[in-house]
Amino acid sequence: MSDVVVLMAYGSPERLADVPAYYADIRGGRPIAPEHLEDLVERYRRLGIEESSPLNAITERTRAALEAELGLPVLTGMKHWTPRIADAAEAALALGADTVVGLVLAPHYSSLSIAGYREQLEQALAGRADLVFVESWHTEPGFLDLLADRIRGTASHVVFTAHSLPERILAAGDPYKDQLLETSRLVAERAAIDDWSFSFQSESPTGEPWLGPDILDHLEALHARGADDVLVCPVGFVSDHLEIRWDLDVEARERAAQLGMRVERIEMPNDDAPFVATLAAVVRRVLRVPSRA
Ligand code: FEC
């Protein structure tokens, strides 16, 4: 019996010239306003992504570390860029996989996010191997501990954040928001932090209402109530990428500076050893392999 892990990520354009095709992939054939494309190119340009993507390099380091930790092949599959999830599925089958573990580098389930990863992987495998798909890992003890370690002892107000999604998911009974709040509460408890709140970030201009409050409005509300020292702890993302390095490090900091607030953020898990060990624990559990002593 042969097990292979397909480690899935949102994906990032490898170079600036890829941005139009990457954005078209995210939009899935729906129209793109030229000003939105220009804005996106500009954001990537200002992050210094001309010829190579730091996000994809982090994902590759995480993949390699997880493979070494598990002693199993781990292949990267991107939802919106190359190597595609379908490429990873074919590569897994070429390695002789009987069982494929699908694990997304995003801890919380939503029908608008994780379900799409699952669909791509299922379609690509087309029944040629068993699929063990991890729907969510938002209460994984190693993940909670890792985040708690990064906020413990702070005197700042802690704001947990995650990617917003269109509000309509709530009416459809989607667990996304509840899972995000559960992670936030459990991390705060572990770190013995009482002074915390939650906000969304990175809403897209799609013309419909998105879940709020958005971090930029939330900073204003915190300022109004005198909380001028903030530590941002993203719980819905695990690595340094556009949503962290632009939406938080540039946009949120600019808004904070205008308001006279101080905003810091935790270091992202990226390929840190305790995070890789956490991903390995998730895989071992779903494969029912005993943990190493
Ligand atoms: O660093 C990078 O190059 C990629 C960063 C990146 C991550 C990410 C994660 C999530 N997204 C989620 C939902 C949506 C929905 C739309 C949407 C649009 C974008 C655009 C870019 C982008 N997202 Fe993203 N997302 C990242 C990047 N995302 C770029 C397009 C430009 C823009 O709107 O700013 C709206 C699609 C539409 O137009 O209809 C919905 C969710 C996550 C967290 C889960 C995951 O990582 O999969 C949910 C990282």
Side-chain angles (χ1 to χ4, degrees):
M1 183 166 132
S2 172
D3 302 325
V4 175
V5 179
V6 172
L7 183 67
M8 290 170 280
Y10 197 83
S12 190
E14 190 55 33
R15 53 191 64 80
L16 210 55
D18 296 335
V19 176
Y22 169 71
Y23 195 14
D25 194 273
I26 292 174
R27 293 290 295 160
R30 284 165 298 134
I32 293 178
E35 63 276 20
H36 292 159
L37 175 59
E38 275 166 36
D39 176 59
L40 187 59
V41 171
E42 193 50 30
R43 277 185 272 154
Y44 278 112
R45 189 194 308 281
R46 286 187 53 189
L47 290 184
I49 299 169
E50 292 285 339
E51 283 304 323
S52 65
S53 151
L55 171 59
N56 292 339
I58 293 167
T59 307
E60 170 52 22
R61 288 201 300 273
T62 308
R63 184 209 63 76
L66 183 60
E67 186 169 80
E69 174 83 23
L70 285 169
L72 290 176
V74 178
L75 305 167
T76 302
M78 307 284 192
K79 193 181 198 185
H80 293 297
W81 203 242
T82 55
R84 298 268 171 192
I85 291 171
D87 301 332
E90 287 304 329
L93 293 166
L95 287 172
D98 301 312
T99 300
V100 169
V101 178
L103 177 62
V104 183
L105 284 169
H108 305 86
Y109 182 85
S110 167
S111 55
L112 285 189
S113 63
I114 304 301
Y117 291 89
R118 180 180 197 134
E119 201 179 298
Q120 287 193 26
L121 186 54
E122 256 172 11
Q123 276 181 7
L125 289 174
R128 290 176 291 167
D130 290 337
L131 173 61
V132 179
F133 189 89
V134 180
E135 299 260 321
S136 69
W137 46 274
H138 67 291
T139 57
E140 185 63 30
F143 180 56
L144 301 175
D145 285 339
L146 183 145
L147 294 180
D149 286 349
R150 292 179 189 196
I151 62 169
R152 190 171 291 111
T154 184
S156 303
H157 176 83
V158 175
V159 178
F160 296 104
T161 68
H163 205 294
S164 184
L165 280 173
E167 241 173 49
R168 64 184 142 87
I169 63 163
L170 293 185
D174 195 285
Y176 185 62
K177 187 176 175 183
D178 289 343
Q179 290 192 356
L180 290 168
L181 292 175
E182 190 179 11
T183 303
S184 305
R185 181 178 54 75
L186 292 172
V187 170
E189 270 173 24
R190 270 175 155 74
I193 299 277
D194 293 327
D195 185 19
W196 66 272
S197 55
F198 177 86
S199 83
F200 286 99
Q201 60 165 93
S202 312
E203 170 177 325
S204 291
T206 57
E208 62 178 324
W210 284 55
L211 295 170
D214 183 79
I215 178 97
L216 302 181
D217 301 328
H218 190 54
L219 288 175
E220 287 189 15
L222 288 173
H223 175 63
R225 67 174 214 230
D228 279 330
D229 268 321
V230 167
L231 177 62
V232 178
C233 176
V235 294
F237 303 110
V238 296
S239 49
D240 285 306
H241 47 56
L242 186 76
E243 317 297 77
I244 299 295
R245 292 187 48 217
W246 180 264
D247 298 359
L248 293 180
D249 293 356
V250 178
E251 268 188 353
R253 271 176 208 244
E254 270 174 17
R255 179 65 59 90
Q258 285 160 6
L259 295 164
M261 299 173 77
R262 214 170 52 88
V263 170
E264 300 293 331
R265 75 158 164 86
I266 63 156
E267 292 294 318
M268 300 305 288
N270 290 322
D271 60 336
D272 292 356
F275 180 58
V276 173
T278 298
L279 295 176
V282 174
V283 173
R284 287 193 190 106
R285 195 177 46 254
V286 298
L287 285 174
R288 296 197 175 79
V289 177
S291 293
R292 278 191 221 155

